[in-house]
Amino acid sequence: QVQLHESGPGLVKPSETLSLTCTVSGYSISTSYYWGWIRQPPGKGLEWIGSMYHSGSTYYSPSLRSRVTILVATSKNQFSLKLSSVTAADTAVYYCAREGLYDSGNYYMDVWGKGTTVTVSS
Amino acid sequence: QLVLTQSPSASASLGASVKLTCTLSSGHNSYAIAWHQQQPEKGPRYLMKVNSDGSHTKGDGIPDRFSGSSSGAERYLTISSLQSEDEADYYCQTWGTAVRVFGGGTKLTVL
């Protein structure tokens, strides 16, 4: 059974870099699927941040592209999110998720982590 | 531009049926979408993928009460025999090669 778990600091200061890790169990991230990050500001809807394939291929939301980096650590079966120059508007619950099979043409999130809350505040 | 539109809210009575709608932007009628459920204070859960021809593929353990269908640019999620635990936010999601898009979500109230 595939499980995803987000971890990282719950509090980040404005202008600093938010760093989160998604640890995957029950499936190797080095095979077949895309993996992604999604966030949800308090009281609002879901927002896609970006997606990656283990080969290093990445896609980012146009609105966040200048500040986002998604990296993979295949030896640890993890992938990470870095969001630079954060402001209060980046306060949200951050989720990682498994997406579709590479080259399948189907890129929907079929397994979600439980999410981690990040607050941006001094 | 690939955009999904959902009504902000819906309501239906316990035991009744409800049909939620997700509308694809102009020019994207052939796109499939996925439905996700988010119960209060929980993370999202994948429900099903709905194709443009109305066929759908559900996630593991999703009850038969949940079904999907399509008409033109609209994709539907129908929930029958509504239960209290179906009160949740429902999001549709679609994708392109280099993009993923969520609708704004529909808050379903079970009366």
Side-chain angles (χ1 to χ4, degrees), chain B residues 31-45:
Chain B
Y31 279 54
I33 66 113
W35 285 102
H36 304 277
Q37 177 195 59
Q38 187 176 32
Q39 295 172 319
E41 306 305 317
K42 290 191 174 182
R45 175 176 71 150

Side-chain angles (χ1 to χ4, degrees), chain A residues 91-114:
Chain A
T91 293
V93 178
Y94 285 76
Y95 298 97
C96 58
R98 189 179 76 172
E99 299 183 9
L101 284 164
Y102 181 79
D103 248 4
S104 67
N106 292 305
Y107 302 120
Y108 55 89
M109 294 79 185
D110 69 343
V111 182
W112 292 78
K114 294 186 187 310

Side-chain angles (χ1 to χ4, degrees), chain A residues 47-61:
Chain A
E47 178 186 18
W48 174 67
I49 299 171
S51 304
M52 58 133 272
Y53 188 67
H54 67 84
S55 64
S57 172
T58 52
Y59 303 114
Y60 300 133
S61 166

Side-chain angles (χ1 to χ4, degrees), chain B residues 80-94:
Chain B
S80 58
S81 303
L82 272 168
Q83 301 181 5
S84 57
E85 60 262 34
D86 298 331
E87 185 160 290
D89 294 325
Y90 291 85
Y91 293 91
C92 56
Q93 178 241 326
T94 193

Side-chain angles (χ1 to χ4, degrees), chain A residues 5 7 20-25 27-30 35 37 52 54 71-80:
Chain A
H5 178 70
S7 60
L20 297 175
T21 298
C22 181
T23 301
V24 180
S25 58
Y27 195 88
S28 171
I29 64 169
S30 298
W35 306 86
W37 287 98
M52 58 133 272
H54 67 84
L71 299 171
V72 61
T74 53
S75 60
K76 297 180 181 180
N77 220 37
Q78 295 175 335
F79 61 103
S80 63

Side-chain angles (χ1 to χ4, degrees), chain B residues 35-37 45-48 57-59 62 66 77 90:
Chain B
W35 285 102
H36 304 277
Q37 177 195 59
R45 175 176 71 150
Y46 166 67
L47 293 177
M48 68 181 72
T57 307
K58 289 196 285 189
I62 303 304
F66 290 81
L77 172 68
Y90 291 85

Side-chain angles (χ1 to χ4, degrees), chain B residues 19-36:
Chain B
K19 190 174 188 179
L20 306 183
T21 303
C22 174
T23 304
L24 287 150
S25 49
S26 178
H28 299 99
N29 284 19
S30 65
Y31 279 54
I33 66 113
W35 285 102
H36 304 277

